[in-house]
């Protein structure tokens, strides 16, 4: 596709439920990133993929968060047993490679946990 | 101390004004810097990418990097109401070459 595509764009879920957020990066981009943006906060790094491998998962807040990438393309971020503090915008981004290339963001998945 | 500090504003200017947005950073390993613009309920959009100290100009936008003082700036000339958005600065490179570290963003409003 022309840009990074994320779904759903909006999600309201009940506390304790699991959610899956999907990212479809720009075609040919080998590097994929997940960031989180909370109200009044900057973008917080969550995880980085190079191909299907995740060399850096250091930003995942807890073991309730996991992510995978298949076929070197689509990635899914899963949040288990959601909590209210998980409410945020989850932004996916991709770049041609990991070495200082321009990083392009999707529109984000706006998650509200009630 | 956060690695990238940015005054959150809000900043309000009249149309046509020159806008100066600034960030400081503490990580000497940063090799490149980016400015993103983010409209309300949209994803960040890359505005400027700079790799070294000095100025880089693109239309009404000028990015300035001073690595000696760890200071980065974005200037907007002849500001327009359509420039109203949150502006995010970010640094990257060094040990974690793939990772961008962002400031919290500055909310700018340009009044017609």
């Amino acid at each position: 596709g022309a840009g990074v595509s994320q779904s759903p764009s909006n999600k309201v879920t009940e506390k304790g439920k699991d959610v899956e957020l999907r990212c479809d990066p720009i075609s040919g981009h080998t590097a994929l990133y997940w960031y989180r943006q909370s109200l009044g906060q900057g973008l917080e790094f969550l995880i980085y993929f190079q191909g299907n491998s995740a060399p850096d998962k250091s930003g995942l807040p807890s073991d309730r968060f996991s992510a995978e990438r298949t076929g070197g393309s689509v990635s899914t971020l899963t949040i288990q047993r959601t909590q209210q503090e998980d409410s945020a915008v989850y932004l996916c981004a991709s770049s041609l490679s990991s070495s200082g290339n321009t990083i392009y963001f999707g529109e984000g998945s706006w998650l509200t946990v009630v | 101390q956060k690695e990238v500090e940015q005054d959150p504003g809000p900043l309000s200017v009249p149309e046509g004004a020159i806008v100066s947005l600034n960030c400081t950073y503490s990580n000497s390993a940063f090799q490149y810097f980016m400015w993103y613009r983010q409209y309300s309920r949209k994803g960040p959009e890359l505005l400027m990418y700079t790799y070294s100290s000095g100025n880089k100009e693109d239309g009404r936008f000028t990015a300035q990097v001073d690595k000696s003082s760890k200071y980065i700036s974005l200037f907007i000339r002849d500001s327009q109401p359509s420039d109203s958005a949150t502006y995010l600065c970010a640094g990257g490179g060094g040990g974690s070459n793939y990772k961008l570290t962002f400031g919290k963003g500055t909310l700018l409003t340009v009044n017609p």
Side-chain angles (χ1 to χ4, degrees):
Chain A
V4 178
S5 178
Q6 292 189 245
S7 61
S9 53
N10 288 284
K11 176 75 175 178
V12 180
T13 190
E14 292 181 351
K15 178 181 171 182
K17 294 285 177 73
D18 296 352
V19 296
E20 284 190 354
L21 308 175
R22 175 189 166 105
C23 173
D24 200 344
I26 293 172
S27 178
H29 282 195
T30 62
L32 185 147
Y33 317 81
W34 284 97
Y35 283 80
R36 179 168 73 173
Q37 187 175 33
S38 303
L39 188 63
Q41 302 296 314
L43 274 72
E44 172 192 13
F45 170 82
L46 298 179
I47 188 170
Y48 152 67
F49 286 92
Q50 180 57 45
N52 292 337
S53 301
D56 188 349
K57 307 178 184 180
S58 63
L60 294 178
S62 74
D63 59 8
R64 295 187 295 106
F65 288 72
S66 63
E68 66 174 12
R69 189 179 185 194
T70 56
S73 180
V74 172
S75 175
T76 303
L77 177 69
T78 301
I79 309 172
Q80 295 178 310
R81 305 181 302 283
T82 51
Q83 303 295 311
Q84 287 185 329
E85 60 263 29
D86 299 334
S87 296
V89 183
Y90 291 84
L91 289 158
C92 178
S94 70
S95 63
L96 198 57
S97 72
S98 61
S99 300
N101 287 112
T102 304
I103 295 175
Y104 298 92
F105 283 87
E107 296 291 273
S109 290
W110 297 71
L111 176 66
T112 303
V113 182
V114 296
Chain B
Q1 180 190 12
K2 287 184 68 67
E3 283 192 291
V4 179
E5 298 277 2
Q6 184 175 11
D7 185 340
L11 182 61
S12 181
V13 302
E15 183 175 354
I18 296 174
V19 176
S20 172
L21 303 167
N22 307 294
C23 293
T24 58
Y25 65 93
S26 59
N27 189 340
S28 299
F30 284 160
Q31 296 172 334
Y32 54 88
F33 304 89
M34 297 182 184
W35 283 96
Y36 284 84
R37 177 174 62 195
Q38 187 174 26
Y39 291 114
S40 180
R41 296 193 68 84
K42 295 289 188 181
E45 167 195 10
L46 180 69
L47 271 181
M48 300 287 282
Y49 178 122
T50 53
Y51 200 83
S52 60
S53 283
N55 293 354
K56 181 177 181 179
E57 189 173 318
D58 184 1
R60 297 185 294 110
F61 298 90
T62 299
Q64 191 173 77
V65 175
D66 182 346
K67 288 188 175 181
S68 63
S69 58
K70 298 189 178 67
Y71 197 84
I72 57 176
S73 300
L74 179 71
F75 298 95
I76 307 174
R77 291 182 298 281
D78 187 25
S79 56
Q80 303 295 310
S82 58
D83 295 328
S84 299
T86 296
Y87 289 79
L88 301 161
C89 62
S96 298
N97 196 40
Y98 49 85
K99 188 188 299 187
L100 289 178
T101 302
F102 285 84
K104 288 188 176 183
T106 300
L107 177 61
L108 171 68
T109 301
V110 180
N111 301 298

